[in-house]
Amino acid sequence: MLEAKLAMSEAMVRVRFAPSPTGYPHLGNIRTALFNWVFARHNNGVFILRIEDTDIARLVEGVADVILGSLRWLGLDWDEGPYFQSQRLELYREVADRLLKQELAYQCYCPTERLESMRQEQIKRKQPPGYDRRCRNLTREQRAEMEASGIIPVVRFKTPLEGQTSFNDLLRGQIIFENSTLDDFVLLKSDGYPTYHLANIVDDHLMAISHVLRADEWLSSTPRHVLLYQALGWQPPQFAHLPMILGPDRAKLSKRHGATAITEYREQGYLPEVMFNFLALLGWSLDDKTELLTREEIVRHFSLERISRTAAVFNKDKLDWMNGVYLRGLSAEEFSRRAMPFLEKDLPMEVNRPLDTDYIRQIMPLIQERARTLAEVPQLSEFFFIDELEYDIGLLLGKIEKAEAIKSLQASAVRMDGLKDWNAASLEAAFRPLAEELKLKTSAFFGLLRVAITGRTAAPPLFQTMEVLGKGQCLKRLRGALDKLEIR
Ligand code: GLU
């Protein structure tokens, strides 16, 4: 008995992510997916993936796959689907037919040109755009006449002319719309495809969706949906319209604020667990202060009550910081594994592929501290892989006279050559005294060595770097640097 009850209450949460594949999924889309997924997992519910691909004029090839790939990347696994609305057209037509039969919908024969000029006129007069209901009360004869002339009609919903439509938004409370502000919206287009409104509610009903968590831009569609549910005698799901995401300037987040497509963050070397953590905090919080949360913690603590009522602000610096924290928290092994595809892709062509995994395992701990994203790793570690460095003479000399630099590098080569143990500690033990012998400040001498060994002034700790590069390569680099100085 108890078990049956439990099973029932568990079955109660059924949510869906229902993207339209009309453009690359952006942060806002994926935040919606994530909130739905987390809500489902928190409640032992079901997360359904449904591709709303009925607006064929706006479909973008390949985007559905990108959406699926992005969800997989973030670990947002779905329990049902993906359903494609384009494969379910019959279902929507049946419902449209039923509404027609019950005279809750009607066929509209108005040509596009008429609708367009009406729209222009409304804009000019600063009236809200909407259909003027010319076909709402056509007689049977008038309809037959239209049909005979070969016009293919659209099906429109007969929105009540008076009264109010209200619903309870779980985040915003009671929302009331005056029906007079809603027009007779299209349900079925002349190409036989349903509109978003029709397909969306038919599927939410057939898929027994319990909660609709979606972006607040859809709020104005909800009264239409509620009217449709009422007309069909169906129980509407519960609605929660999620807070908007703003850029740092408090304008709606857009391309202007940098990358918005989720795939770009992947390419830029942000970790999926970071994106998960970061997106979860765009509109939800545990306690208004905790920033670092694992997926499990988010699932455990997630609740609609803690979704903010006000817009969330996207903070790129916070994302970068978070990525750095997570990167440093990875084991060296794991960091190397994750960095590998970036190295394969972005190290200069001259570096032989496939890359040597053992060598990379030695290098990566030195890079891990410094990288904010995985995409920075190739640039930060490039000098480990390049056989012959290009030296900038200005960098090489720094604050040291040329003759002095040459002398120091020569002495360094001799010292290196004589070293038996090649490790960071023995290198340091050999080179610290050498600065003194050369009568150079340690910082100046090590600076010179650093440029000779790495070609740059900012690099990981010098002696650890030398240890990884190995004696042969370090000697070769000293000679390379000497050549550069001597030729000049
Ligand atoms: N297809 C809509 C979208 O692209 C779904 C909105 C909803 O969740 O109802 O966001």
Side-chain angles (χ1 to χ4, degrees), residues 159-209:
T159 301
L161 303 175
E162 296 163 350
Q164 295 177 327
T165 298
S166 67
F167 56 91
N168 178 49
D169 184 283
L170 294 170
L171 300 175
R172 296 154 188 256
Q174 196 70 5
I175 307 259
I176 301 173
F177 279 84
E178 292 295 330
N179 291 339
S180 59
T181 62
L182 307 169
D183 76 340
D184 290 354
F185 53 97
V186 175
L187 299 172
L188 206 61
K189 295 175 272 186
S190 53
D191 61 6
Y193 278 81
T195 55
Y196 155 68
H197 300 304
L198 178 63
N200 190 266
I201 67 109
V202 169
D203 279 345
D204 281 350
H205 172 70
L206 293 179
M207 294 174 189
I209 297 303

Tab-separated table of all heavy atoms in Angstrom, residues 159-209:
chain	number	residue	atom	x	y	z
A	159	THR	N	-10.933	32.454	-29.277
A	159	THR	CA	-10.652	32.978	-27.938
A	159	THR	C	-11.901	33.675	-27.401
A	159	THR	O	-12.510	34.468	-28.131
A	159	THR	CB	-9.483	33.985	-28.023
A	159	THR	OG1	-8.354	33.306	-28.566
A	159	THR	CG2	-9.119	34.545	-26.658
A	160	PRO	N	-12.269	33.390	-26.162
A	160	PRO	CA	-13.434	34.091	-25.609
A	160	PRO	C	-13.223	35.605	-25.692
A	160	PRO	O	-12.118	36.095	-25.459
A	160	PRO	CB	-13.457	33.636	-24.145
A	160	PRO	CG	-12.625	32.415	-24.085
A	160	PRO	CD	-11.654	32.472	-25.221
A	161	LEU	N	-14.288	36.311	-26.039
A	161	LEU	CA	-14.142	37.752	-26.258
A	161	LEU	C	-14.106	38.529	-24.947
A	161	LEU	O	-13.608	39.638	-24.889
A	161	LEU	CB	-15.290	38.252	-27.139
A	161	LEU	CG	-15.401	37.545	-28.488
A	161	LEU	CD1	-16.635	38.014	-29.249
A	161	LEU	CD2	-14.142	37.774	-29.323
A	162	GLU	N	-14.659	37.912	-23.933
A	162	GLU	CA	-14.707	38.604	-22.641
A	162	GLU	C	-14.153	37.705	-21.550
A	162	GLU	O	-13.820	36.557	-21.795
A	162	GLU	CB	-16.161	38.919	-22.274
A	162	GLU	CG	-16.806	39.866	-23.226
A	162	GLU	CD	-18.309	39.824	-23.096
A	162	GLU	OE1	-18.839	38.917	-22.401
A	162	GLU	OE2	-18.951	40.702	-23.692
A	163	GLY	N	-14.150	38.274	-20.368
A	163	GLY	CA	-13.735	37.480	-19.209
A	163	GLY	C	-12.221	37.497	-19.023
A	163	GLY	O	-11.503	38.241	-19.712
A	164	GLN	N	-11.784	36.694	-18.093
A	164	GLN	CA	-10.360	36.658	-17.769
A	164	GLN	C	-9.867	35.213	-17.768
A	164	GLN	O	-10.653	34.292	-17.574
A	164	GLN	CB	-10.143	37.222	-16.357
A	164	GLN	CG	-10.499	38.695	-16.244
A	164	GLN	CD	-10.338	39.171	-14.811
A	164	GLN	OE1	-10.566	38.424	-13.870
A	164	GLN	NE2	-9.937	40.434	-14.661
A	165	THR	N	-8.602	35.098	-18.005
A	165	THR	CA	-7.983	33.779	-17.873
A	165	THR	C	-6.877	33.909	-16.839
A	165	THR	O	-6.053	34.828	-16.939
A	165	THR	CB	-7.413	33.307	-19.214
A	165	THR	OG1	-8.497	33.201	-20.135
A	165	THR	CG2	-6.721	31.961	-19.082
A	166	SER	N	-6.907	33.037	-15.887
A	166	SER	CA	-5.872	33.165	-14.855
A	166	SER	C	-5.242	31.807	-14.575
A	166	SER	O	-5.813	30.760	-14.889
A	166	SER	CB	-6.479	33.733	-13.575
A	166	SER	OG	-7.374	32.794	-13.044
A	167	PHE	N	-4.075	31.863	-14.044
A	167	PHE	CA	-3.390	30.646	-13.616
A	167	PHE	C	-2.437	31.009	-12.504
A	167	PHE	O	-2.082	32.179	-12.322
A	167	PHE	CB	-2.644	29.984	-14.785
A	167	PHE	CG	-1.658	30.888	-15.468
A	167	PHE	CD1	-0.327	30.936	-15.049
A	167	PHE	CD2	-2.052	31.705	-16.517
A	167	PHE	CE1	0.577	31.771	-15.678
A	167	PHE	CE2	-1.152	32.560	-17.134
A	167	PHE	CZ	0.160	32.591	-16.725
A	168	ASN	N	-2.047	29.976	-11.798
A	168	ASN	CA	-1.124	30.207	-10.693
A	168	ASN	C	0.288	29.866	-11.155
A	168	ASN	O	0.555	28.734	-11.529
A	168	ASN	CB	-1.524	29.326	-9.506
A	168	ASN	CG	-0.565	29.492	-8.364
A	168	ASN	OD1	-0.250	30.611	-7.977
A	168	ASN	ND2	-0.061	28.392	-7.846
A	169	ASP	N	1.147	30.853	-11.160
A	169	ASP	CA	2.544	30.576	-11.481
A	169	ASP	C	3.248	30.259	-10.156
A	169	ASP	O	3.110	31.010	-9.184
A	169	ASP	CB	3.192	31.785	-12.164
A	169	ASP	CG	4.610	31.491	-12.582
A	169	ASP	OD1	5.515	31.482	-11.710
A	169	ASP	OD2	4.846	31.250	-13.782
A	170	LEU	N	3.976	29.138	-10.147
A	170	LEU	CA	4.570	28.703	-8.883
A	170	LEU	C	5.575	29.710	-8.340
A	170	LEU	O	5.865	29.721	-7.152
A	170	LEU	CB	5.250	27.339	-9.063
A	170	LEU	CG	4.287	26.182	-9.365
A	170	LEU	CD1	5.051	24.938	-9.770
A	170	LEU	CD2	3.402	25.900	-8.157
A	171	LEU	N	6.104	30.548	-9.209
A	171	LEU	CA	7.071	31.538	-8.743
A	171	LEU	C	6.448	32.922	-8.569
A	171	LEU	O	6.876	33.694	-7.733
A	171	LEU	CB	8.244	31.647	-9.718
A	171	LEU	CG	9.042	30.369	-9.945
A	171	LEU	CD1	10.086	30.572	-11.023
A	171	LEU	CD2	9.698	29.919	-8.651
A	172	ARG	N	5.468	33.223	-9.383
A	172	ARG	CA	4.948	34.588	-9.371
A	172	ARG	C	3.549	34.724	-8.805
A	172	ARG	O	3.001	35.821	-8.764
A	172	ARG	CB	4.895	35.129	-10.801
A	172	ARG	CG	6.240	35.235	-11.395
A	172	ARG	CD	6.116	35.125	-12.896
A	172	ARG	NE	7.422	35.029	-13.460
A	172	ARG	CZ	8.034	36.025	-14.072
A	172	ARG	NH1	7.426	37.173	-14.225
A	172	ARG	NH2	9.238	35.854	-14.550
A	173	GLY	N	2.955	33.602	-8.468
A	173	GLY	CA	1.607	33.679	-7.914
A	173	GLY	C	0.552	33.797	-8.996
A	173	GLY	O	0.784	33.425	-10.159
A	174	GLN	N	-0.597	34.349	-8.620
A	174	GLN	CA	-1.736	34.402	-9.521
A	174	GLN	C	-1.459	35.377	-10.673
A	174	GLN	O	-1.067	36.519	-10.442
A	174	GLN	CB	-2.960	34.868	-8.719
A	174	GLN	CG	-4.277	34.626	-9.389
A	174	GLN	CD	-4.638	33.140	-9.453
A	174	GLN	OE1	-3.928	32.302	-8.903
A	174	GLN	NE2	-5.699	32.836	-10.154
A	175	ILE	N	-1.671	34.889	-11.897
A	175	ILE	CA	-1.478	35.760	-13.061
A	175	ILE	C	-2.814	35.832	-13.785
A	175	ILE	O	-3.439	34.799	-14.048
A	175	ILE	CB	-0.425	35.180	-14.026
A	175	ILE	CG1	0.873	34.858	-13.287
A	175	ILE	CG2	-0.221	36.072	-15.231
A	175	ILE	CD1	1.977	35.831	-13.410
A	176	ILE	N	-3.229	37.040	-14.095
A	176	ILE	CA	-4.542	37.210	-14.727
A	176	ILE	C	-4.395	37.958	-16.053
A	176	ILE	O	-3.699	38.974	-16.111
A	176	ILE	CB	-5.482	38.016	-13.804
A	176	ILE	CG1	-5.630	37.280	-12.461
A	176	ILE	CG2	-6.855	38.227	-14.458
A	176	ILE	CD1	-6.392	38.050	-11.408
A	177	PHE	N	-4.993	37.412	-17.079
A	177	PHE	CA	-5.013	38.089	-18.381
A	177	PHE	C	-6.460	38.397	-18.754
A	177	PHE	O	-7.352	37.567	-18.533
A	177	PHE	CB	-4.426	37.176	-19.461
A	177	PHE	CG	-2.923	37.164	-19.495
A	177	PHE	CD1	-2.199	36.340	-18.644
A	177	PHE	CD2	-2.226	37.969	-20.387
A	177	PHE	CE1	-0.810	36.319	-18.673
A	177	PHE	CE2	-0.833	37.950	-20.429
A	177	PHE	CZ	-0.134	37.120	-19.563
A	178	GLU	N	-6.682	39.555	-19.320
A	178	GLU	CA	-8.004	39.881	-19.871
A	178	GLU	C	-8.103	39.174	-21.226
A	178	GLU	O	-7.240	39.368	-22.090
A	178	GLU	CB	-8.136	41.396	-20.099
A	178	GLU	CG	-8.175	42.235	-18.832
A	178	GLU	CD	-9.401	41.968	-17.962
A	178	GLU	OE1	-10.470	41.600	-18.516
A	178	GLU	OE2	-9.286	42.118	-16.729
A	179	ASN	N	-9.138	38.402	-21.424
A	179	ASN	CA	-9.279	37.702	-22.703
A	179	ASN	C	-9.344	38.673	-23.877
A	179	ASN	O	-8.921	38.347	-24.989
A	179	ASN	CB	-10.534	36.823	-22.693
A	179	ASN	CG	-10.358	35.653	-21.730
A	179	ASN	OD1	-9.236	35.284	-21.397
A	179	ASN	ND2	-11.462	35.095	-21.273
A	180	SER	N	-9.866	39.866	-23.619
A	180	SER	CA	-9.983	40.839	-24.714
A	180	SER	C	-8.611	41.242	-25.277
A	180	SER	O	-8.524	41.783	-26.370
A	180	SER	CB	-10.731	42.076	-24.232
A	180	SER	OG	-10.031	42.639	-23.137
A	181	THR	N	-7.561	40.965	-24.531
A	181	THR	CA	-6.226	41.326	-25.038
A	181	THR	C	-5.618	40.193	-25.874
A	181	THR	O	-4.534	40.343	-26.429
A	181	THR	CB	-5.244	41.640	-23.879
A	181	THR	OG1	-5.106	40.451	-23.080
A	181	THR	CG2	-5.743	42.783	-23.019
A	182	LEU	N	-6.298	39.045	-25.918
A	182	LEU	CA	-5.749	37.911	-26.682
A	182	LEU	C	-6.501	37.799	-28.001
A	182	LEU	O	-7.718	37.978	-28.037
A	182	LEU	CB	-5.937	36.615	-25.889
A	182	LEU	CG	-5.399	36.622	-24.453
A	182	LEU	CD1	-5.885	35.388	-23.698
A	182	LEU	CD2	-3.878	36.669	-24.451
A	183	ASP	N	-5.802	37.490	-29.063
A	183	ASP	CA	-6.518	37.375	-30.341
A	183	ASP	C	-6.844	35.900	-30.626
A	183	ASP	O	-6.599	35.025	-29.798
A	183	ASP	CB	-5.730	38.042	-31.480
A	183	ASP	CG	-4.565	37.204	-31.944
A	183	ASP	OD1	-4.109	36.321	-31.187
A	183	ASP	OD2	-4.093	37.424	-33.071
A	184	ASP	N	-7.434	35.676	-31.774
A	184	ASP	CA	-7.745	34.300	-32.170
A	184	ASP	C	-6.496	33.709	-32.831
A	184	ASP	O	-6.311	33.793	-34.039
A	184	ASP	CB	-8.929	34.283	-33.153
A	184	ASP	CG	-10.231	34.644	-32.464
A	184	ASP	OD1	-10.226	34.794	-31.225
A	184	ASP	OD2	-11.245	34.774	-33.166
A	185	PHE	N	-5.658	33.144	-32.027
A	185	PHE	CA	-4.354	32.687	-32.526
A	185	PHE	C	-4.490	31.417	-33.371
A	185	PHE	O	-5.448	30.654	-33.243
A	185	PHE	CB	-3.375	32.471	-31.371
A	185	PHE	CG	-3.902	31.585	-30.282
A	185	PHE	CD1	-3.588	30.235	-30.255
A	185	PHE	CD2	-4.709	32.087	-29.272
A	185	PHE	CE1	-4.065	29.400	-29.249
A	185	PHE	CE2	-5.195	31.261	-28.260
A	185	PHE	CZ	-4.880	29.917	-28.256
A	186	VAL	N	-3.497	31.220	-34.206
A	186	VAL	CA	-3.510	30.077	-35.129
A	186	VAL	C	-3.120	28.798	-34.368
A	186	VAL	O	-2.205	28.808	-33.540
A	186	VAL	CB	-2.524	30.325	-36.303
A	186	VAL	CG1	-2.427	29.101	-37.201
A	186	VAL	CG2	-2.950	31.551	-37.096
A	187	LEU	N	-3.817	27.734	-34.672
A	187	LEU	CA	-3.486	26.424	-34.099
A	187	LEU	C	-2.780	25.545	-35.126
A	187	LEU	O	-1.802	24.875	-34.837
A	187	LEU	CB	-4.766	25.699	-33.652
A	187	LEU	CG	-5.601	26.386	-32.573
A	187	LEU	CD1	-6.919	25.645	-32.373
A	187	LEU	CD2	-4.829	26.436	-31.257
A	188	LEU	N	-3.361	25.588	-36.343
A	188	LEU	CA	-2.812	24.745	-37.406
A	188	LEU	C	-2.542	25.648	-38.604
A	188	LEU	O	-3.408	26.420	-39.010
A	188	LEU	CB	-3.871	23.692	-37.767
A	188	LEU	CG	-3.395	22.380	-38.359
A	188	LEU	CD1	-2.473	21.647	-37.391
A	188	LEU	CD2	-4.605	21.496	-38.680
A	189	LYS	N	-1.357	25.552	-39.144
A	189	LYS	CA	-1.008	26.411	-40.282
A	189	LYS	C	-1.497	25.771	-41.577
A	189	LYS	O	-1.871	24.597	-41.598
A	189	LYS	CB	0.507	26.628	-40.306
A	189	LYS	CG	0.996	27.410	-39.094
A	189	LYS	CD	2.499	27.532	-39.047
A	189	LYS	CE	3.115	26.342	-38.333
A	189	LYS	NZ	4.550	26.465	-38.126
A	190	SER	N	-1.432	26.535	-42.663
A	190	SER	CA	-1.977	25.993	-43.916
A	190	SER	C	-1.091	24.862	-44.462
A	190	SER	O	-1.537	24.059	-45.265
A	190	SER	CB	-2.162	27.100	-44.946
A	190	SER	OG	-0.960	27.808	-45.083
A	191	ASP	N	0.145	24.784	-43.992
A	191	ASP	CA	0.996	23.675	-44.440
A	191	ASP	C	0.712	22.394	-43.642
A	191	ASP	O	1.390	21.380	-43.804
A	191	ASP	CB	2.489	24.049	-44.351
A	191	ASP	CG	2.932	24.373	-42.930
A	191	ASP	OD1	2.125	24.208	-41.988
A	191	ASP	OD2	4.091	24.810	-42.754
A	192	GLY	N	-0.267	22.463	-42.763
A	192	GLY	CA	-0.628	21.262	-42.009
A	192	GLY	C	0.164	21.108	-40.724
A	192	GLY	O	-0.103	20.210	-39.930
A	193	TYR	N	1.132	21.987	-40.515
A	193	TYR	CA	1.916	21.907	-39.286
A	193	TYR	C	1.216	22.699	-38.177
A	193	TYR	O	0.619	23.743	-38.440
A	193	TYR	CB	3.317	22.493	-39.509
A	193	TYR	CG	4.269	21.518	-40.150
A	193	TYR	CD1	4.257	21.314	-41.521
A	193	TYR	CD2	5.172	20.801	-39.367
A	193	TYR	CE1	5.125	20.405	-42.115
A	193	TYR	CE2	6.043	19.900	-39.950
A	193	TYR	CZ	6.012	19.705	-41.317
A	193	TYR	OH	6.871	18.808	-41.882
A	194	PRO	N	1.333	22.200	-36.955
A	194	PRO	CA	0.727	22.932	-35.844
A	194	PRO	C	1.595	24.134	-35.470
A	194	PRO	O	2.784	24.162	-35.784
A	194	PRO	CB	0.766	21.907	-34.709
A	194	PRO	CG	1.993	21.096	-35.007
A	194	PRO	CD	2.064	21.005	-36.508
A	195	THR	N	0.999	25.094	-34.785
A	195	THR	CA	1.823	26.156	-34.205
A	195	THR	C	2.391	25.641	-32.888
A	195	THR	O	1.966	24.601	-32.376
A	195	THR	CB	0.968	27.394	-33.882
A	195	THR	OG1	-0.102	26.981	-33.032
A	195	THR	CG2	0.432	28.034	-35.140
A	196	TYR	N	3.293	26.422	-32.348
A	196	TYR	CA	3.874	26.107	-31.040
A	196	TYR	C	2.766	25.859	-30.015
A	196	TYR	O	2.782	24.869	-29.289
A	196	TYR	CB	4.791	27.258	-30.612
A	196	TYR	CG	4.984	27.383	-29.118
A	196	TYR	CD1	5.682	26.413	-28.400
A	196	TYR	CD2	4.447	28.461	-28.411
A	196	TYR	CE1	5.843	26.523	-27.024
A	196	TYR	CE2	4.599	28.574	-27.042
A	196	TYR	CZ	5.296	27.603	-26.344
A	196	TYR	OH	5.448	27.706	-24.994
A	197	HIS	N	1.773	26.784	-29.968
A	197	HIS	CA	0.744	26.687	-28.925
A	197	HIS	C	0.036	25.330	-28.955
A	197	HIS	O	-0.128	24.683	-27.927
A	197	HIS	CB	-0.314	27.785	-29.105
A	197	HIS	CG	0.245	29.162	-29.043
A	197	HIS	ND1	0.967	29.623	-27.966
A	197	HIS	CD2	0.198	30.200	-29.930
A	197	HIS	CE1	1.338	30.875	-28.183
A	197	HIS	NE2	0.890	31.247	-29.371
A	198	LEU	N	-0.376	24.934	-30.150
A	198	LEU	CA	-1.138	23.686	-30.233
A	198	LEU	C	-0.260	22.473	-29.897
A	198	LEU	O	-0.593	21.665	-29.029
A	198	LEU	CB	-1.746	23.522	-31.638
A	198	LEU	CG	-2.535	22.216	-31.827
A	198	LEU	CD1	-3.738	22.153	-30.898
A	198	LEU	CD2	-2.976	22.034	-33.273
A	199	ALA	N	0.861	22.374	-30.601
A	199	ALA	CA	1.702	21.181	-30.422
A	199	ALA	C	2.186	21.085	-28.976
A	199	ALA	O	2.231	20.004	-28.382
A	199	ALA	CB	2.881	21.245	-31.374
A	200	ASN	N	2.520	22.224	-28.409
A	200	ASN	CA	3.054	22.258	-27.054
A	200	ASN	C	2.042	21.714	-26.042
A	200	ASN	O	2.373	20.875	-25.202
A	200	ASN	CB	3.427	23.713	-26.735
A	200	ASN	CG	4.217	23.857	-25.458
A	200	ASN	OD1	3.643	24.099	-24.418
A	200	ASN	ND2	5.538	23.705	-25.546
A	201	ILE	N	0.789	22.164	-26.142
A	201	ILE	CA	-0.157	21.713	-25.116
A	201	ILE	C	-0.632	20.274	-25.381
A	201	ILE	O	-0.865	19.524	-24.447
A	201	ILE	CB	-1.359	22.675	-24.913
A	201	ILE	CG1	-2.245	22.687	-26.139
A	201	ILE	CG2	-0.915	24.073	-24.514
A	201	ILE	CD1	-3.539	21.989	-25.836
A	202	VAL	N	-0.722	19.911	-26.646
A	202	VAL	CA	-1.119	18.524	-26.943
A	202	VAL	C	-0.069	17.571	-26.354
A	202	VAL	O	-0.383	16.597	-25.678
A	202	VAL	CB	-1.282	18.301	-28.462
A	202	VAL	CG1	-1.414	16.813	-28.785
A	202	VAL	CG2	-2.490	19.070	-28.983
A	203	ASP	N	1.169	17.907	-26.585
A	203	ASP	CA	2.219	17.019	-26.080
A	203	ASP	C	2.338	17.069	-24.563
A	203	ASP	O	2.543	16.039	-23.920
A	203	ASP	CB	3.558	17.363	-26.736
A	203	ASP	CG	3.661	16.740	-28.119
A	203	ASP	OD1	2.840	15.844	-28.418
A	203	ASP	OD2	4.549	17.143	-28.893
A	204	ASP	N	2.233	18.256	-23.994
A	204	ASP	CA	2.304	18.312	-22.526
A	204	ASP	C	1.191	17.460	-21.929
A	204	ASP	O	1.389	16.790	-20.917
A	204	ASP	CB	2.215	19.764	-22.028
A	204	ASP	CG	3.559	20.489	-22.166
A	204	ASP	OD1	4.567	19.820	-22.463
A	204	ASP	OD2	3.603	21.725	-21.983
A	205	HIS	N	0.056	17.467	-22.589
A	205	HIS	CA	-1.048	16.642	-22.092
A	205	HIS	C	-0.756	15.151	-22.307
A	205	HIS	O	-0.812	14.353	-21.368
A	205	HIS	CB	-2.349	17.038	-22.792
A	205	HIS	CG	-3.485	16.116	-22.469
A	205	HIS	ND1	-4.075	16.085	-21.225
A	205	HIS	CD2	-4.113	15.167	-23.206
A	205	HIS	CE1	-5.020	15.158	-21.216
A	205	HIS	NE2	-5.074	14.584	-22.399
A	206	LEU	N	-0.422	14.795	-23.550
A	206	LEU	CA	-0.207	13.365	-23.841
A	206	LEU	C	0.974	12.800	-23.066
A	206	LEU	O	1.000	11.625	-22.723
A	206	LEU	CB	0.018	13.162	-25.342
A	206	LEU	CG	-1.182	13.445	-26.251
A	206	LEU	CD1	-0.803	13.237	-27.710
A	206	LEU	CD2	-2.374	12.561	-25.878
A	207	MET	N	1.953	13.646	-22.805
A	207	MET	CA	3.142	13.157	-22.089
A	207	MET	C	2.968	13.300	-20.577
A	207	MET	O	3.916	13.098	-19.821
A	207	MET	CB	4.382	13.898	-22.590
A	207	MET	CG	4.679	13.573	-24.037
A	207	MET	SD	6.044	14.550	-24.725
A	207	MET	CE	5.874	14.087	-26.464
A	208	ALA	N	1.779	13.674	-20.166
A	208	ALA	CA	1.444	13.790	-18.733
A	208	ALA	C	2.444	14.644	-17.966
A	208	ALA	O	2.921	14.268	-16.886
A	208	ALA	CB	1.328	12.398	-18.117
A	209	ILE	N	2.754	15.778	-18.572
A	209	ILE	CA	3.707	16.692	-17.929
A	209	ILE	C	3.053	17.306	-16.685
A	209	ILE	O	1.931	17.795	-16.742
A	209	ILE	CB	4.116	17.804	-18.923
A	209	ILE	CG1	4.840	17.213	-20.146
A	209	ILE	CG2	4.973	18.876	-18.238
A	209	ILE	CD1	6.079	16.402	-19.843
